[in-house]
Amino acid sequence: MPARENWDTKIGFILAASGSAIGLGNIWKFPFITGQYGGAAFVLTYLICIALIGVPVMLNEFVLGRRTQLNPVGAFKTLAPGTSWFLVGGLGVASGFVILSYYSVVAGWTLGYMFVAISGAFQQFTDSAQAGSFFNSYGGNTFYSLLTHFIFIGMCIFVVIKGIKGGIEKYSKILMPVLLLILIVLVIRGLTLPGAEKGISFLFKPDFTKLNGNTILVALGHAFFTLSLGMGAMVTYGSYLKKDDNLISSAALIVFLDTSIALLAGIAIFTAVFSFNLDPAAGPALIFHVLPAVFPKMPGGYIFGIMFFSLLLIAALTSGISLLEVVISYFVDQKGWSRTKATFIFGSMIALLGVPSALSQGLLADVKIFGMTFFDLMDYMSFKYMLPIGGFLMTIFVAYYWGVKDFINELQSGCPQLTLKPAAAVVLITISSVLILVTLIAGILGIG
Ligand code: PHE
């Protein structure tokens, strides 16, 4: 078997891991939940959750990956041989399967919208009702939904097949700077629109009367999803790290980048939404129903529309790649498959699993399982259960089964100046376990 690959450069790893974190979660989900759950008070809660859960859980994942140099299943098999802990890794691989299958449907819409923007069709929208009915007929179209879904998975396969250095790292190094550049242009455009300050105060001036239990739970759950935690994506990316990389500074930088991009996307979107007096609380439809009606109204809107949907597509692609890589690394490491064979076979299986999700806005819109469309079911299962359960078990594993001594040792490799008492590490990790558990139970009870 060929030697296992490593990241070529530290910056390559940082860009790939932040590429995984920065995705539809930042540019599609974060703005709309901020809009729905009351703006700045929500943003503040989210930032606290990121610090309390994000950093410790990400470190856990990096440690498990780099220590074992394996995929999530292999990592648990190595550290806890003869036990059932490997099932936590198995849950992660399954989550990669499930999440990518519907994530790529939304990513497919952004791909389609990029072409719609290029065709100039947005320019005819005079209000968001028109943009909304356009989306309904677009998302409900069997041919386009399937086509763009398949193309997006094809793009992920194309990159993952080339491996770590020549695929994921290489493309992240190109795509992430482009993403940042486009976002900066959009932020400047947003800030220079008349009435932009209303959008800014919506995002940054907290009104604490808007804060309630539900807001906190949504912020907690989102902290998880946006940082790609709970399914071993960061275990997998960490497994390609060398022993002299500093895990702590890497995690801090990735969390910082992810959060900054979400806030910048919020600025770009809400300045525009408020400037044209549209509804910030439009929910999941914000990007697809509301924004296309904004572009025709703003100077240069044609080009900004194209840029916005390209931005979303790039963000989705670097995340989609990481979802697929979790599945592939499992079959390569544990089952000895060649990367090419594993990527083709499992990429295609994920594409097939995504078919009912792609048809959920159209042909299968009336088929409900537990009262949800297939698309909603996949989203619900993974966001509410699979990721939090995975993340919770990983923190328990490190703090109470494997032991924090080894955890601290691994952190010190690449960061020898670190002094962290085992008791302090247990407390820090336990805080995140408890927070995750609360979100999970509230989710089960239907509160969140
Ligand atoms: N973090 C990605 C986003 O914000 C989604 C993701 C979740 C990717 C879990 C990988 C693993 O869009």
Side-chain angles (χ1 to χ4, degrees), residues 181-205:
L181 211 70
I182 299 181
L183 189 56
I184 290 173
V185 173
L186 292 173
V187 167
I188 295 175
R189 171 66 282 189
L191 288 175
T192 48
L193 286 170
E197 63 288 347
K198 280 183 278 173
I200 297 296
S201 54
F202 178 73
L203 261 180
F204 295 110
K205 260 212 197 121

mmCIF file of all heavy atoms in Angstrom, residues 181-205:
data_model
loop_
_atom_site.group_PDB
_atom_site.id
_atom_site.type_symbol
_atom_site.label_atom_id
_atom_site.label_comp_id
_atom_site.label_asym_id
_atom_site.label_seq_id
_atom_site.Cartn_x
_atom_site.Cartn_y
_atom_site.Cartn_z
ATOM 1 N N LEU A 181 -11.557 37.166 -1.577
ATOM 2 C CA LEU A 181 -11.550 38.345 -2.447
ATOM 3 C C LEU A 181 -12.979 38.729 -2.864
ATOM 4 O O LEU A 181 -13.383 39.887 -2.767
ATOM 5 C CB LEU A 181 -10.720 38.014 -3.690
ATOM 6 C CG LEU A 181 -10.002 39.160 -4.321
ATOM 7 C CD1 LEU A 181 -8.872 39.607 -3.394
ATOM 8 C CD2 LEU A 181 -9.415 38.735 -5.677
ATOM 9 N N ILE A 182 -13.747 37.726 -3.306
ATOM 10 C CA ILE A 182 -15.125 38.013 -3.737
ATOM 11 C C ILE A 182 -15.916 38.577 -2.562
ATOM 12 O O ILE A 182 -16.649 39.558 -2.691
ATOM 13 C CB ILE A 182 -15.837 36.734 -4.254
ATOM 14 C CG1 ILE A 182 -15.104 36.160 -5.459
ATOM 15 C CG2 ILE A 182 -17.289 37.029 -4.597
ATOM 16 C CD1 ILE A 182 -15.762 34.913 -6.034
ATOM 17 N N LEU A 183 -15.717 37.969 -1.390
ATOM 18 C CA LEU A 183 -16.488 38.410 -0.235
ATOM 19 C C LEU A 183 -16.153 39.859 0.119
ATOM 20 O O LEU A 183 -17.041 40.660 0.431
ATOM 21 C CB LEU A 183 -16.217 37.472 0.948
ATOM 22 C CG LEU A 183 -17.112 37.671 2.151
ATOM 23 C CD1 LEU A 183 -18.577 37.549 1.770
ATOM 24 C CD2 LEU A 183 -16.801 36.652 3.238
ATOM 25 N N ILE A 184 -14.875 40.203 0.048
ATOM 26 C CA ILE A 184 -14.482 41.579 0.379
ATOM 27 C C ILE A 184 -15.143 42.570 -0.584
ATOM 28 O O ILE A 184 -15.684 43.595 -0.169
ATOM 29 C CB ILE A 184 -12.942 41.719 0.373
ATOM 30 C CG1 ILE A 184 -12.387 40.958 1.581
ATOM 31 C CG2 ILE A 184 -12.516 43.181 0.426
ATOM 32 C CD1 ILE A 184 -10.892 40.867 1.634
ATOM 33 N N VAL A 185 -15.156 42.210 -1.867
ATOM 34 C CA VAL A 185 -15.807 43.099 -2.843
ATOM 35 C C VAL A 185 -17.291 43.262 -2.481
ATOM 36 O O VAL A 185 -17.835 44.373 -2.473
ATOM 37 C CB VAL A 185 -15.668 42.520 -4.275
ATOM 38 C CG1 VAL A 185 -16.475 43.336 -5.261
ATOM 39 C CG2 VAL A 185 -14.205 42.480 -4.684
ATOM 40 N N LEU A 186 -17.944 42.148 -2.126
ATOM 41 C CA LEU A 186 -19.376 42.219 -1.807
ATOM 42 C C LEU A 186 -19.632 43.025 -0.533
ATOM 43 O O LEU A 186 -20.630 43.726 -0.420
ATOM 44 C CB LEU A 186 -19.962 40.810 -1.672
ATOM 45 C CG LEU A 186 -20.023 40.003 -2.969
ATOM 46 C CD1 LEU A 186 -20.463 38.572 -2.686
ATOM 47 C CD2 LEU A 186 -20.996 40.646 -3.963
ATOM 48 N N VAL A 187 -18.714 42.902 0.440
ATOM 49 C CA VAL A 187 -18.869 43.662 1.686
ATOM 50 C C VAL A 187 -18.762 45.161 1.377
ATOM 51 O O VAL A 187 -19.563 45.971 1.855
ATOM 52 C CB VAL A 187 -17.808 43.236 2.729
ATOM 53 C CG1 VAL A 187 -17.750 44.206 3.889
ATOM 54 C CG2 VAL A 187 -18.125 41.837 3.245
ATOM 55 N N ILE A 188 -17.785 45.530 0.544
ATOM 56 C CA ILE A 188 -17.623 46.945 0.198
ATOM 57 C C ILE A 188 -18.869 47.449 -0.539
ATOM 58 O O ILE A 188 -19.403 48.512 -0.250
ATOM 59 C CB ILE A 188 -16.353 47.151 -0.665
ATOM 60 C CG1 ILE A 188 -15.128 46.800 0.178
ATOM 61 C CG2 ILE A 188 -16.263 48.598 -1.179
ATOM 62 C CD1 ILE A 188 -13.815 46.828 -0.568
ATOM 63 N N ARG A 189 -19.373 46.622 -1.445
ATOM 64 C CA ARG A 189 -20.599 47.006 -2.159
ATOM 65 C C ARG A 189 -21.741 47.227 -1.155
ATOM 66 O O ARG A 189 -22.457 48.220 -1.198
ATOM 67 C CB ARG A 189 -20.966 45.908 -3.172
ATOM 68 C CG ARG A 189 -22.304 46.009 -3.865
ATOM 69 C CD ARG A 189 -22.471 47.181 -4.802
ATOM 70 N NE ARG A 189 -22.743 48.447 -4.112
ATOM 71 C CZ ARG A 189 -23.101 49.568 -4.726
ATOM 72 N NH1 ARG A 189 -23.212 49.595 -6.043
ATOM 73 N NH2 ARG A 189 -23.331 50.669 -4.042
ATOM 74 N N GLY A 190 -21.887 46.287 -0.227
ATOM 75 C CA GLY A 190 -22.960 46.395 0.759
ATOM 76 C C GLY A 190 -22.820 47.658 1.604
ATOM 77 O O GLY A 190 -23.775 48.409 1.795
ATOM 78 N N LEU A 191 -21.603 47.904 2.080
ATOM 79 C CA LEU A 191 -21.380 49.032 2.985
ATOM 80 C C LEU A 191 -21.584 50.383 2.304
ATOM 81 O O LEU A 191 -21.842 51.381 2.969
ATOM 82 C CB LEU A 191 -19.958 48.962 3.565
ATOM 83 C CG LEU A 191 -19.726 47.863 4.600
ATOM 84 C CD1 LEU A 191 -18.269 47.809 5.015
ATOM 85 C CD2 LEU A 191 -20.614 48.086 5.825
ATOM 86 N N THR A 192 -21.443 50.411 0.988
ATOM 87 C CA THR A 192 -21.580 51.693 0.302
ATOM 88 C C THR A 192 -23.006 51.912 -0.234
ATOM 89 O O THR A 192 -23.264 52.874 -0.950
ATOM 90 C CB THR A 192 -20.570 51.796 -0.866
ATOM 91 O OG1 THR A 192 -20.657 50.585 -1.629
ATOM 92 C CG2 THR A 192 -19.140 51.950 -0.375
ATOM 93 N N LEU A 193 -23.937 51.019 0.124
ATOM 94 C CA LEU A 193 -25.324 51.224 -0.307
ATOM 95 C C LEU A 193 -26.002 52.210 0.651
ATOM 96 O O LEU A 193 -25.682 52.233 1.843
ATOM 97 C CB LEU A 193 -26.090 49.889 -0.258
ATOM 98 C CG LEU A 193 -25.763 48.870 -1.349
ATOM 99 C CD1 LEU A 193 -26.417 47.529 -1.021
ATOM 100 C CD2 LEU A 193 -26.242 49.352 -2.717
ATOM 101 N N PRO A 194 -26.945 52.990 0.179
ATOM 102 C CA PRO A 194 -27.647 53.901 1.089
ATOM 103 C C PRO A 194 -28.420 53.101 2.143
ATOM 104 O O PRO A 194 -29.039 52.086 1.814
ATOM 105 C CB PRO A 194 -28.611 54.665 0.168
ATOM 106 C CG PRO A 194 -28.659 53.883 -1.107
ATOM 107 C CD PRO A 194 -27.390 53.118 -1.217
ATOM 108 N N GLY A 195 -28.339 53.508 3.382
ATOM 109 C CA GLY A 195 -29.070 52.813 4.448
ATOM 110 C C GLY A 195 -28.346 51.581 4.966
ATOM 111 O O GLY A 195 -28.908 50.802 5.744
ATOM 112 N N ALA A 196 -27.066 51.414 4.571
ATOM 113 C CA ALA A 196 -26.311 50.231 5.000
ATOM 114 C C ALA A 196 -26.239 50.133 6.523
ATOM 115 O O ALA A 196 -26.227 49.037 7.087
ATOM 116 C CB ALA A 196 -24.902 50.280 4.419
ATOM 117 N N GLU A 197 -26.235 51.300 7.192
ATOM 118 C CA GLU A 197 -26.061 51.279 8.656
ATOM 119 C C GLU A 197 -27.203 50.525 9.355
ATOM 120 O O GLU A 197 -27.006 49.974 10.428
ATOM 121 C CB GLU A 197 -25.856 52.698 9.211
ATOM 122 C CG GLU A 197 -26.992 53.688 9.053
ATOM 123 C CD GLU A 197 -27.176 54.178 7.598
ATOM 124 O OE1 GLU A 197 -26.298 53.949 6.739
ATOM 125 O OE2 GLU A 197 -28.238 54.775 7.318
ATOM 126 N N LYS A 198 -28.371 50.461 8.732
ATOM 127 C CA LYS A 198 -29.472 49.710 9.370
ATOM 128 C C LYS A 198 -29.116 48.224 9.430
ATOM 129 O O LYS A 198 -29.392 47.535 10.400
ATOM 130 C CB LYS A 198 -30.764 49.887 8.556
ATOM 131 C CG LYS A 198 -31.456 51.210 8.832
ATOM 132 C CD LYS A 198 -32.766 51.307 8.053
ATOM 133 C CE LYS A 198 -32.502 51.754 6.626
ATOM 134 N NZ LYS A 198 -33.591 51.755 5.692
ATOM 135 N N GLY A 199 -28.478 47.733 8.384
ATOM 136 C CA GLY A 199 -28.046 46.332 8.351
ATOM 137 C C GLY A 199 -26.979 46.078 9.397
ATOM 138 O O GLY A 199 -26.985 45.047 10.088
ATOM 139 N N ILE A 200 -26.059 47.031 9.532
ATOM 140 C CA ILE A 200 -24.974 46.863 10.488
ATOM 141 C C ILE A 200 -25.506 46.849 11.922
ATOM 142 O O ILE A 200 -25.113 46.013 12.733
ATOM 143 C CB ILE A 200 -23.939 48.016 10.333
ATOM 144 C CG1 ILE A 200 -23.306 47.946 8.948
ATOM 145 C CG2 ILE A 200 -22.875 47.974 11.417
ATOM 146 C CD1 ILE A 200 -22.491 46.694 8.713
ATOM 147 N N SER A 201 -26.445 47.751 12.231
ATOM 148 C CA SER A 201 -26.902 47.735 13.620
ATOM 149 C C SER A 201 -27.763 46.503 13.881
ATOM 150 O O SER A 201 -27.779 45.979 14.992
ATOM 151 C CB SER A 201 -27.597 49.039 14.021
ATOM 152 O OG SER A 201 -28.615 49.310 13.125
ATOM 153 N N PHE A 202 -28.419 45.984 12.852
ATOM 154 C CA PHE A 202 -29.164 44.733 13.026
ATOM 155 C C PHE A 202 -28.215 43.600 13.442
ATOM 156 O O PHE A 202 -28.523 42.786 14.314
ATOM 157 C CB PHE A 202 -29.856 44.370 11.710
ATOM 158 C CG PHE A 202 -30.608 43.068 11.752
ATOM 159 C CD1 PHE A 202 -31.803 42.967 12.441
ATOM 160 C CD2 PHE A 202 -30.127 41.941 11.093
ATOM 161 C CE1 PHE A 202 -32.492 41.758 12.483
ATOM 162 C CE2 PHE A 202 -30.821 40.737 11.132
ATOM 163 C CZ PHE A 202 -32.000 40.652 11.819
ATOM 164 N N LEU A 203 -27.031 43.600 12.854
ATOM 165 C CA LEU A 203 -26.053 42.532 13.133
ATOM 166 C C LEU A 203 -25.293 42.750 14.436
ATOM 167 O O LEU A 203 -24.915 41.792 15.114
ATOM 168 C CB LEU A 203 -25.019 42.476 12.013
ATOM 169 C CG LEU A 203 -25.163 41.461 10.919
ATOM 170 C CD1 LEU A 203 -24.021 41.599 9.936
ATOM 171 C CD2 LEU A 203 -25.179 40.035 11.460
ATOM 172 N N PHE A 204 -25.004 44.003 14.765
ATOM 173 C CA PHE A 204 -24.061 44.229 15.867
ATOM 174 C C PHE A 204 -24.618 44.947 17.096
ATOM 175 O O PHE A 204 -23.934 45.069 18.095
ATOM 176 C CB PHE A 204 -22.823 44.974 15.346
ATOM 177 C CG PHE A 204 -22.037 44.146 14.365
ATOM 178 C CD1 PHE A 204 -21.995 44.466 13.015
ATOM 179 C CD2 PHE A 204 -21.365 42.995 14.788
ATOM 180 C CE1 PHE A 204 -21.293 43.688 12.110
ATOM 181 C CE2 PHE A 204 -20.663 42.210 13.890
ATOM 182 C CZ PHE A 204 -20.624 42.558 12.545
ATOM 183 N N LYS A 205 -25.850 45.450 17.028
ATOM 184 C CA LYS A 205 -26.404 46.110 18.228
ATOM 185 C C LYS A 205 -27.400 45.178 18.885
ATOM 186 O O LYS A 205 -28.554 45.083 18.467
ATOM 187 C CB LYS A 205 -27.126 47.404 17.823
ATOM 188 C CG LYS A 205 -26.311 48.643 18.046
ATOM 189 C CD LYS A 205 -27.222 49.809 18.406
ATOM 190 C CE LYS A 205 -26.507 51.123 18.232
ATOM 191 N NZ LYS A 205 -27.171 51.998 17.272
#
